[in-house]
Amino acid sequence: MTKTGPPRPPEGDWLGTPYLRFTREGAFGVCTLDRPEARNAMTPAMYFGIRYAVRHVDADPDLAGLLITGTGDVFAPGGDMGGGDGSDNWLTFGSALGMDVTPFETLRQSVKPVVSAVNGLCQGGGLQIALCSDMTVVSDRATFRVPELLRGIADTYYSQMLARLIGPVRTRDLMFTGRTLTAQEAHDWGMVARIVPHDELLDTAREVLGQCCRTAPAARGLVKSSLDNYLGLFDRIGMQAGLSGPEALEGFLSFKERRSPSWVHPDLRIDGRL
């Protein structure tokens, strides 16, 4: 199916959107975000497609693990604030903007190992995908950001998970300022497992995935469950309410209109979007 073909839900190795490619490389399934014209901004169907890819690999006896990566200099910047271009509208943006479509919990519960190979810009939902993968290998060119509060979204999944990973002080630093971390800073803070030279990223990620796949599945599952319990749960009700609230609406509108949100003091507003 081409990028101009009719949309249809996932089936087999088709992930439900032309912006995700699923390929088979020996024992591995490889899911590649491939929407360079929009800097890999993720539509709901893309989020759901990654969720589907995890379950697809889990159920396929010919595959041992899943590798997730991006194209060009972008891994994933998070959700498409423009709502997509309509080419994969079997899931509409408004009704699908919820945790039931996103792959985060599915990644945490995957039976087979999942490794993210972060090739460049990684923020928002893209960073959450990286954090929820079993292992994350990043290019030395990668950058990381949590811009949700700049968009009016109270992402309690992030605040809860990051506080466990990097502590509440650094979580406030990332979330309240929306600043960008380098690959080295993300590694030093314990957000990612390994940094490698950019040209070695995919080879190293495949090697790491192979190592994970050689561990005993049942024992690995118990360890994953233990780690998942440590990370705890997030406030589903509060986050879903926030996604439909006035701040989230203003966050989306200001992003589309390339301006600062109305809650920013006039003296602190900047030209263009935050």
Side-chain angles (χ1 to χ4, degrees):
M1 176 175 174
T2 67
K3 290 191 176 183
T4 58
R8 59 187 174 90
E11 181 182 11
D13 287 356
W14 166 250
L15 301 185
T17 167
Y19 304 130
L20 293 177
R21 289 187 284 109
F22 187 88
T23 54
R24 293 170 179 260
E25 299 182 7
F28 304 146
V30 179
C31 176
T32 304
L33 284 76
D34 185 18
R35 197 186 178 204
E37 65 274 16
R39 302 279 290 164
N40 284 353
M42 299 183 70
T43 64
M46 291 172 72
Y47 274 124
F48 190 85
I50 292 175
R51 175 178 172 174
Y52 170 85
V54 175
R55 295 303 190 208
H56 184 48
V57 170
D58 278 349
D60 193 326
D62 293 331
L63 296 174
L66 176 65
L67 179 69
I68 302 174
T69 193
T71 51
D73 62 349
V74 179
F75 176 68
D80 183 350
M81 302 293 287
D85 63 1
S87 66
D88 56 0
N89 62 0
W90 66 273
L91 280 175
T92 60
F93 193 78
S95 64
L97 187 61
M99 300 305 292
D100 292 331
V101 168
T102 55
F104 312 138
E105 289 187 81
T106 302
L107 284 162
R108 284 167 60 175
Q109 298 164 12
S110 63
V111 176
K112 296 178 182 177
V114 180
V115 170
S116 282
V118 178
N119 53 297
L121 185 149
C122 179
Q123 67 177 33
L127 177 53
Q128 194 65 264
I129 289 169
L131 293 176
C132 290
S133 298
D134 292 306
M135 292 278 284
T136 301
V137 182
V138 307
S139 160
D140 54 7
R141 302 178 189 173
T143 59
F144 303 88
R145 191 178 184 223
V146 184
E148 272 70 4
L149 285 176
L150 298 175
R151 314 290 176 239
I153 297 173
D155 195 324
T156 53
Y157 197 113
Y158 252 128
S159 58
Q160 184 273 335
M161 190 172 196
L162 281 175
R164 292 295 184 101
L165 289 175
I166 64 176
V169 173
R170 284 174 167 168
T171 297
R172 284 194 293 270
D173 186 354
L174 274 184
M175 297 195 73
F176 289 178
T177 68
R179 75 183 184 93
T180 299
L181 292 185
T182 65
Q184 188 61 55
E185 287 175 314
H187 183 264
D188 291 345
W189 284 19
M191 293 172 63
V192 302
R194 306 189 193 188
I195 305 174
V196 297
H198 185 77
D199 293 341
E200 299 175 14
L201 175 65
L202 290 179
D203 286 343
T204 303
R206 291 186 189 98
E207 180 181 353
V208 169
L209 181 55
Q211 291 170 345
C212 292
C213 291
R214 293 186 183 98
T215 59
R220 185 178 64 237
L222 289 174
V223 172
K224 279 175 65 79
S225 177
S226 175
L227 291 170
D228 197 59
N229 288 335
Y230 172 77
L231 289 171
L233 302 175
F234 70 100
D235 181 4
R236 270 183 176 271
I237 295 174
M239 184 170 181
Q240 194 62 44
L243 287 172
S244 59
E247 286 191 347
L249 176 60
E250 171 62 8
F252 278 104
L253 288 175
S254 62
F255 183 89
K256 293 181 68 175
E257 296 169 2
R258 296 181 178 275
R259 60 174 173 81
S260 294
S262 60
W263 64 71
V264 178
H265 188 283
D267 292 346
L268 297 177
R269 293 173 187 173
I270 63 173
D271 292 333
R273 60 172 64 123
L274 295 177

